Amino acid sequence: MTAAEAVGVLRFDRVTKEYPRSGLALHEVSFRVAKGEFVFLTGPSGAGKSTILRLAYFAERPTSGLVRVSGVNSEHASRREISKLRRRLGIVFQDFRLLEDRTAEENVGFALEVTGVPRAQIGPKVSRVLTQVGLAAKATAFPRELSGGEQQRVAIARALVNDPFVLIADEPTGNLDERATRGVFQLLREINAAGTAIIMATHDLDLVRHADYRTLELNRGQIVFDSAESPEPAA
Amino acid sequence: MTAAEAVGVLRFDRVTKEYPRSGLALHEVSFRVAKGEFVFLTGPSGAGKSTILRLAYFAERPTSGLVRVSGVNSEHASRREISKLRRRLGIVFQDFRLLEDRTAEENVGFALEVTGVPRAQIGPKVSRVLTQVGLAAKATAFPRELSGGEQQRVAIARALVNDPFVLIADEPTGNLDERATRGVFQLLREINAAGTAIIMATHDLDLVRHADYRTLELNRGQIVFDSAESPEPAA
Amino acid sequence: MRRTVRDASAAFTRAPLLTALSITTIAFSLFAFGLFGLVALNIRAALQGVEERVEIRAFVADGTDAQSLAAAAGDIDAFPEVQSVNIVTQDQALARARTELTEFSDVFQSGVLPASIDVKLKPGYRDPATVARVSARLKSYPFVDDVRYGEDWLVQLYRLRNIAGVAGLALGLAFAAVAVIIIGATIRMAVLSRADEISIMRLVGATDGFIRRPFLLEGFAKGILGGLLALGLTWLGMHLIDRYMHFHTVFFSPAMAAAGVVAGALIGVLGSSVAVGRHLRAL
Amino acid sequence: MRRTVRDASAAFTRAPLLTALSITTIAFSLFAFGLFGLVALNIRAALQGVEERVEIRAFVADGTDAQSLAAAAGDIDAFPEVQSVNIVTQDQALARARTELTEFSDVFQSGVLPASIDVKLKPGYRDPATVARVSARLKSYPFVDDVRYGEDWLVQLYRLRNIAGVAGLALGLAFAAVAVIIIGATIRMAVLSRADEISIMRLVGATDGFIRRPFLLEGFAKGILGGLLALGLTWLGMHLIDRYMHFHTVFFSPAMAAAGVVAGALIGVLGSSVAVGRHLRAL
Ligand SMILES: Nc1ncnc2c1ncn2[C@@H]1O[C@H](COP(=O)(O)OP(=O)(O)OP(=O)(O)O)[C@@H](O)[C@H]1O
Ligand SMILES: Nc1ncnc2c1ncn2[C@@H]1O[C@H](COP(=O)(O)OP(=O)(O)OP(=O)(O)O)[C@@H](O)[C@H]1O
Ligand SMILES: [Mg+2]
Ligand SMILES: [Mg+2]
């Protein structure tokens, strides 16, 4: 396990994912993400970005190959191990996945309740992170009372609130305007600077070009470009 | 009614929308969209873009002011008139709103069934429009088997399939990569060229800048810029 | 129409659990109702059997001549309330007592029983008041010593019948009320579980009628199935009782059975209609 | 714990319809079950009353002296099956016949009834076989002419009791089976209606236990409420019958009532546990 951490917090080894009706979503994908690294995942719609991320938080298991996240292994991981791992991850889902019958702050606080954080500490943490994403004013609104971008920011806040060691974000700025995108991205940079590894699927190539982080480009379920291997940037 | 159509297919007169818990979403918004016009709606997250569109297809009624779409008036419209109007509109929702238990082609075909199109004509129409958005291969997939961008394209196909006279699209490219975005936008241009008015909320300013269509910019529920009034473009 | 049928049947495969629940609930309610109905029906049948034995017995003084007895019997037979009249001689009375009261048969060797005129009343005239009236008229014959008709017993019988009727109705209504609540909630849930679908339908321009139709058909089908299931269950229950209790029971007539199934269909359609209507108005 | 309680109670306000449905269903099932139980209980009580009257009557030859009668009575009293022995003289027999058979009271003026030794058996010895055995022993006394105990009647009584037991059990089980199906479906739907919530919980790292707990508490609360409601309904039903039928009925003992409520709670907890477990394993 310590050896695994030395080589990367997240590691895919020849991972293939096949869906019953639609065939290969990923084909022999291998890569690793080092501790504290920031990785962009790009590629056309349907390339397999979300599939990689779902495998990374064990919402799915690979058809073949091995996924390892912080010592948890896709071949042997128990339900309990997966639950424990997820408490240390921050996940932003492409479709937000907010609880419809809880307010914005309850949705964010929920990620802390699950990990057993004492009630007294939850309130301040939630306020802080909602302020960071610019949603302090909407704390008591329910998801249906929020605009698309506001919902997305609640989802980001929830992923950040438990100080994850890896942040997995699936198009976290898809519903945000340029300014909000810059704000959220700035926040992710700060978190990354503090040591959190970030793996972020995005189709905002402007962001990718300007940020100059490592980029993995997917196409039809295969990695077609990895900026860590060929040093010239995509643009 | 003919007079109304002469002045615009869609018209907002001092429209205010107030939500019980979050206050004013729109404040005295007035504008009109002429027959066959293409209008971008931009502005930061929470500015009121989706609210304007929801008012335009009568999913909500204004708190004060008047919305008129093709002679249907927000003050007097009956449920039946609204249903009839919607059959002539094409709507792309920000959150897609696909029927989970129908395949992509069934979702698209459904918009035709509602209008009473004979069964024999539905199949070919659906195939054509799914091909246009590049999803012919995924026709029999259920929404949960589609990637975010694929779901969005199904939503676009459904809006286009009944040859609407106005297309209302809420961030139709939020989940698409650059190439797919260009493809969809090209499709919208063609449809617009054939006479369909289009009103499209987007935060993709690149698109807005390059397309040189009329742009309405919203901020905090008010129109702060209308390129039809001040001729210089936003960029 | 084709869409309506297809959508309605799709509901069965798409939400098998909710469908099964709706059908079972309707069946269960109608079954409980049916059992109560059958019990009431059988009590009525049983009471009718007992009622047929309502008889007025006018004991005749010793030595009354047969001719005047026969004349009186003729008169009595002409009363509008009377079904049949039967003259029982002293010998016949003794023989009857011996067979009816076996435990005491030894006793009657030495005893002498009076002769009597036994009167049966027509159905509909067997209530305590009529029986008392006819008895009084019988008593007016000079040779009649005494008139017996088991007053207490008759009154009890009528009370039992009234009570059975009231209790059955009350319990049946209570069951029906609970059943309606459950069925209503089930259907409302079926609608709510498809709230998204309904709102999407409206957004792409479906009219209320278009949305409502498959729900109504679905409710109708569920109701019919529930009704048939209830009928089957009730029949099975009755059959088992018949078989293991060697107790002949009366089942519903075909018309009543059909009415039960139609009731199921009505519950289904009405419930769906109300639930969908309420939901649509709220949109 | 606080979260568990808060979440469980939130379920009541967030899905009032489903909650009401679950509670009503549990209550309805237990109520139907309770009614059948009460009917069985009351039939048993009624049969016990009848059974107490099981009596063997040994008719004694005319002229048997009182002393040998008393001696025999002493012997018989010592039989292990016998509860009490009673000597009835000829005069007493006549008096009793007059009161018991009022319709024929005129008759007995001239009749003479035999004296008898009347034997009552202990509870548990009132079955047809024991009664026949004791009768045979009584018959062996030289001065006993005849022994009567209403064979047919006794056999019928026992048959009725067995039948009532079997029929009650069968119907009760049928009701219970249907009830379990309905309750199971209701709980499963409660879980399905929160499937999104559960999957989101799992995705943010909640363990199965953490997810399961509020559901179990919710099921427990619903079960208890359903049980209490059923108890109240049953009591009300009984009370109404008591009142309008002037027919004294036996109600459940406090222990049985408590058992019913506990059964409700168990149904609730088990149902929830199974439904959530199945759902979690499928994730
Ligand atoms: N549950 C599933 N069942 C079947 N096919 C699936 C399933 N999930 C994804 N797919 C298919 O796998 C492929 C990859 O999907 P994925 O969601 O990873 O794409 P993506 O790169 O995230 O695309 P986007 O940018 O549009 O979100 C797609 O073609 C999709 O249709
Ligand atoms: N149903 C509602 N109840 C209460 N408030 C609402 C409701 N819908 C929208 N709002 C509020 O109205 C404002 C405008 O929302 P709207 O969805 O129009 O924004 P938008 O411009 O579409 O933003 P985005 O780009 O994030 O989608 C937001 O502040 C939102 O919180
Ligand atoms: Mg994706
Ligand atoms: Mg919006």
Side-chain angles (χ1 to χ4, degrees):
Chain A
M1 184 171 151
T2 37
E5 267 181 347
V7 294
V9 283
L10 190 149
R11 186 172 157 181
F12 276 52
D13 278 323
R14 300 171 59 103
V15 170
T16 295
K17 179 70 192 176
E18 190 175 353
Y19 288 111
R21 280 157 38 89
S22 46
L24 283 182
L26 289 181
H27 183 61
E28 303 240 321
V29 168
S30 301
F31 69 94
R32 62 187 65 174
V33 175
K35 219 176 150 193
E37 200 175 7
F38 195 127
V39 180
F40 281 120
L41 212 55
T42 65
S45 170
K49 304 182 292 296
S50 298
T51 304
I52 284 190
L53 299 185
R54 279 199 302 269
L55 286 163
Y57 54 82
F58 295 94
E60 316 222 28
R61 304 276 181 125
T63 309
S64 71
L66 197 72
V67 176
R68 244 172 206 279
V69 181
S70 169
V72 181
N73 175 317
S74 62
E75 260 170 17
H76 310 111
S78 70
R79 294 174 66 80
R80 173 159 287 275
E81 274 178 320
I82 293 175
S83 290
K84 276 193 176 165
L85 171 67
R86 284 180 184 157
R87 296 181 193 179
R88 298 163 57 220
L89 300 176
I91 315 177
V92 184
F93 305 97
Q94 189 166 10
D95 50 358
F96 316 156
R97 305 243 181 161
L98 301 176
L99 293 170
E100 282 301 325
D101 53 4
R102 301 194 191 220
T103 62
E105 60 186 0
E106 284 170 349
N107 263 288
V108 175
F110 184 69
L112 290 176
E113 280 179 28
V114 162
T115 63
V117 172
R119 180 160 303 274
Q121 290 172 32
I122 291 182
K125 279 199 175 218
V126 169
S127 304
R128 181 172 49 78
V129 72
L130 278 178
T131 308
Q132 281 179 326
V133 297
L135 266 191
K138 297 277 178 184
T140 62
F142 289 97
R144 66 174 173 283
E145 297 171 343
L146 295 173
S147 80
E150 288 163 350
Q151 290 180 40
Q152 190 155 48
R153 282 178 283 165
V154 175
I156 294 168
R158 181 179 61 188
L160 297 179
V161 75
N162 60 344
D163 302 319
F165 82 103
V166 179
L167 182 81
I168 295 176
D170 201 349
E171 300 195 1
T173 60
N175 281 271
L176 299 183
D177 57 289
E178 269 179 19
R179 239 188 69 215
T181 298
R182 275 198 304 274
V184 164
F185 187 57
Q186 186 52 38
L187 190 58
L188 297 186
R189 285 181 109 112
E190 284 162 19
I191 287 161
N192 178 244
T196 298
I198 295 181
I199 170 163
M200 168 173 165
T202 185
H203 55 260
D204 188 341
L205 294 187
D206 268 351
L207 206 66
V208 174
R209 280 177 209 120
H210 287 103
D212 196 27
Y213 283 129
R214 177 177 168 201
T215 304
L216 284 174
E217 195 182 323
L218 277 173
N219 199 358
R220 297 165 179 266
Q222 289 184 298
I223 294 180
V224 293
F225 171 76
D226 182 348
S227 64
E229 282 163 16
S230 81
E232 60 190 310
Chain B
M1 185 172 151
T2 36
E5 267 179 347
V7 293
V9 285
L10 190 148
R11 185 170 157 180
F12 275 53
D13 278 324
R14 302 173 58 107
V15 170
T16 295
K17 178 71 190 175
E18 189 173 355
Y19 288 111
R21 278 157 38 89
S22 47
L24 282 183
L26 290 181
H27 183 63
E28 305 241 322
V29 169
S30 300
F31 68 95
R32 62 187 67 176
V33 175
K35 218 175 154 193
E37 199 175 6
F38 196 129
V39 180
F40 282 121
L41 214 55
T42 66
S45 170
K49 304 183 290 296
S50 298
T51 303
I52 284 188
L53 299 186
R54 279 199 301 271
L55 286 164
Y57 53 80
F58 296 95
E60 316 222 28
R61 303 277 181 121
T63 310
S64 71
L66 197 71
V67 176
R68 245 172 206 278
V69 181
S70 169
V72 181
N73 175 316
S74 62
E75 259 170 17
H76 310 111
S78 68
R79 295 174 66 81
R80 171 158 291 273
E81 274 177 322
I82 292 174
S83 290
K84 277 193 174 163
L85 171 67
R86 285 181 184 156
R87 296 180 193 179
R88 298 164 57 221
L89 299 177
I91 315 177
V92 184
F93 305 96
Q94 190 166 9
D95 50 359
F96 315 155
R97 305 245 180 159
L98 301 176
L99 294 170
E100 281 301 323
D101 54 3
R102 302 197 190 216
T103 63
E105 61 185 2
E106 284 170 350
N107 263 288
V108 175
F110 184 71
L112 289 175
E113 280 179 28
V114 162
T115 63
V117 173
R119 180 159 304 274
Q121 290 174 31
I122 291 181
K125 278 200 174 215
V126 169
S127 305
R128 182 173 49 76
V129 73
L130 277 178
T131 308
Q132 282 180 327
V133 298
L135 265 192
K138 298 277 177 183
T140 62
F142 288 97
R144 66 174 171 284
E145 298 171 342
L146 295 173
S147 79
E150 287 163 350
Q151 289 181 40
Q152 190 156 48
R153 281 177 284 165
V154 175
I156 295 168
R158 180 179 62 189
L160 297 179
V161 74
N162 60 345
D163 303 318
F165 83 103
V166 178
L167 182 80
I168 295 175
D170 200 348
E171 299 194 4
T173 60
N175 282 269
L176 299 183
D177 56 289
E178 271 181 16
R179 239 188 72 215
T181 298
R182 275 198 303 275
V184 164
F185 187 58
Q186 185 53 38
L187 189 60
L188 295 186
R189 285 182 111 112
E190 285 163 18
I191 287 161
N192 178 245
T196 299
I198 295 182
I199 171 164
M200 168 173 166
T202 186
H203 55 258
D204 187 342
L205 295 187
D206 268 349
L207 207 68
V208 175
R209 281 177 208 120
H210 288 103
D212 195 28
Y213 283 131
R214 176 177 168 201
T215 305
L216 285 175
E217 195 182 325
L218 277 174
N219 200 356
R220 296 165 179 265
Q222 289 186 298
I223 293 180
V224 293
F225 172 77
D226 181 349
S227 64
E229 282 163 14
S230 78
E232 56 185 317
Chain C
M1 191 57 209
R2 228 152 117 205
R3 179 199 68 98
T4 306
V5 173
R6 184 166 46 83
D7 274 17
S9 61
F12 280 66
T13 54
R14 277 174 192 157
L17 199 69
L18 205 57
T19 305
L21 183 67
S22 310
I23 294 176
T24 318
T25 307
I26 292 178
F28 189 40
S29 314
L30 287 175
F31 174 51
F33 210 62
L35 275 190
F36 271 100
L38 268 187
V39 168
L41 206 66
N42 278 284
I43 285 181
R44 233 182 53 173
L47 285 183
Q48 217 151 26
V50 173
E51 225 186 44
E52 264 165 27
R53 291 166 56 190
V54 166
E55 204 181 49
I56 304 172
R57 199 171 281 181
F59 292 102
V60 174
D62 277 5
T64 306
D65 63 304
Q67 221 180 320
S68 38
L69 270 187
D75 283 358
I76 294 165
D77 208 10
F79 291 1
E81 303 93 341
V82 170
Q83 189 174 45
S84 71
V85 177
N86 187 25
I87 297 173
V88 180
T89 63
Q90 288 192 322
D91 292 346
Q92 287 167 339
L94 192 61
R96 184 168 62 185
R98 283 209 181 115
T99 53
E100 282 183 2
L101 302 161
T102 43
E103 199 175 339
F104 295 93
S105 61
D106 322 20
V107 185
F108 296 115
Q109 277 152 3
S110 48
V112 175
L113 290 172
S116 64
I117 300 174
D118 292 0
V119 176
K120 270 208 149 90
L121 298 183
K122 287 182 188 155
Y125 289 104
R126 290 164 183 162
D127 57 294
T130 312
V131 173
R133 190 151 38 79
V134 174
S135 298
R137 285 182 71 179
L138 291 179
K139 196 133 197 184
S140 66
Y141 285 93
F143 50 79
V144 169
D145 267 359
D146 196 6
V147 177
R148 289 281 162 81
Y149 59 88
E151 294 90 331
D152 298 354
W153 180 77
L154 192 66
V155 169
Q156 280 294 340
L157 176 68
Y158 262 80
R159 194 154 134 212
L160 182 63
R161 152 192 278 226
N162 288 339
I163 283 164
V166 169
L169 198 70
L171 275 178
L173 283 182
F175 262 61
V178 179
V180 164
I181 293 175
I182 295 190
I183 294 170
T186 313
I187 295 175
R188 182 133 178 74
M189 266 183 347
V191 172
L192 283 185
S193 77
R194 287 163 69 187
D196 271 358
E197 191 174 337
I198 293 176
S199 87
I200 294 173
M201 285 184 180
R202 272 201 59 79
L203 285 175
V204 298
T207 55
D208 290 354
F210 186 91
I211 295 171
R212 190 181 275 122
R213 246 175 284 140
F215 279 100
L216 296 193
L217 190 65
E218 193 187 322
F220 179 76
K222 284 178 182 173
I224 289 273
L225 286 178
L228 287 177
L229 196 59
L231 195 63
L233 281 175
T234 318
W235 184 84
L236 197 76
M238 213 67 286
H239 193 73
L240 287 177
I241 291 176
D242 233 355
R243 177 137 177 207
Y244 291 102
M245 296 186 66
H246 304 277
F247 168 63
H248 184 67
T249 46
V250 184
F251 196 64
F252 296 121
S253 68
M256 287 166 95
V261 176
V262 169
L266 273 185
I267 292 175
V269 172
L270 278 182
S272 297
S273 169
V274 170
V276 181
R278 231 171 78 173
H279 186 76
L280 285 175
R281 269 193 305 280
L283 276 183
Chain D
M1 191 58 210
R2 226 151 120 209
R3 179 199 69 99
T4 307
V5 173
R6 185 165 46 85
D7 274 18
S9 61
F12 280 67
T13 53
R14 277 174 192 157
L17 200 66
L18 205 55
T19 305
L21 183 66
S22 310
I23 294 176
T24 317
T25 308
I26 292 178
F28 190 38
S29 313
L30 288 175
F31 174 51
F33 210 64
L35 274 190
F36 271 99
L38 268 187
V39 167
L41 205 66
N42 278 285
I43 284 182
R44 235 184 50 175
L47 286 183
Q48 218 152 25
V50 172
E51 226 187 44
E52 264 165 27
R53 291 166 56 187
V54 167
E55 203 179 48
I56 304 172
R57 199 170 282 181
F59 292 102
V60 174
D62 276 8
T64 308
D65 63 305
Q67 221 182 318
S68 38
L69 271 187
D75 283 358
I76 295 166
D77 208 10
F79 292 2
E81 301 94 341
V82 169
Q83 187 173 50
S84 70
V85 177
N86 188 24
I87 298 173
V88 179
T89 65
Q90 289 190 320
D91 293 346
Q92 288 168 339
L94 193 61
R96 183 168 61 184
R98 280 204 186 122
T99 54
E100 283 182 2
L101 302 161
T102 43
E103 198 174 338
F104 295 93
S105 60
D106 321 21
V107 185
F108 297 113
Q109 278 152 4
S110 47
V112 174
L113 288 172
S116 64
I117 300 175
D118 291 2
V119 177
K120 269 210 150 85
L121 297 183
K122 285 182 189 155
Y125 288 103
R126 290 164 183 161
D127 57 294
T130 312
V131 172
R133 194 153 34 83
V134 174
S135 297
R137 284 181 72 179
L138 289 179
K139 196 136 202 183
S140 67
Y141 285 94
F143 52 78
V144 167
D145 268 357
D146 197 6
V147 178
R148 289 282 163 80
Y149 59 86
E151 295 89 334
D152 298 353
W153 181 78
L154 191 66
V155 169
Q156 281 293 339
L157 175 69
Y158 262 78
R159 194 152 134 214
L160 183 64
R161 153 192 279 227
N162 289 340
I163 283 164
V166 169
L169 197 71
L171 275 178
L173 284 181
F175 262 60
V178 179
V180 164
I181 293 175
I182 295 190
I183 293 171
T186 313
I187 294 175
R188 183 134 176 74
M189 264 182 349
V191 172
L192 283 183
S193 77
R194 286 163 67 187
D196 272 357
E197 191 173 338
I198 292 176
S199 86
I200 294 172
M201 285 184 181
R202 273 200 59 77
L203 285 174
V204 298
T207 55
D208 289 355
F210 186 91
I211 294 171
R212 192 181 274 121
R213 244 174 285 140
F215 279 100
L216 296 194
L217 189 66
E218 193 186 321
F220 180 76
K222 284 179 182 174
I224 289 272
L225 286 178
L228 287 176
L229 196 59
L231 195 64
L233 281 175
T234 318
W235 184 84
L236 197 76
M238 213 67 290
H239 193 73
L240 287 177
I241 290 175
D242 233 355
R243 177 138 179 206
Y244 289 104
M245 295 185 69
H246 305 275
F247 169 62
H248 185 66
T249 46
V250 184
F251 196 63
F252 297 121
S253 67
M256 289 167 96
V261 176
V262 168
L266 273 184
I267 292 175
V269 172
L270 277 182
S272 297
S273 169
V274 170
V276 180
R278 231 171 81 173
H279 187 75
L280 285 175
R281 268 194 306 282
L283 273 185

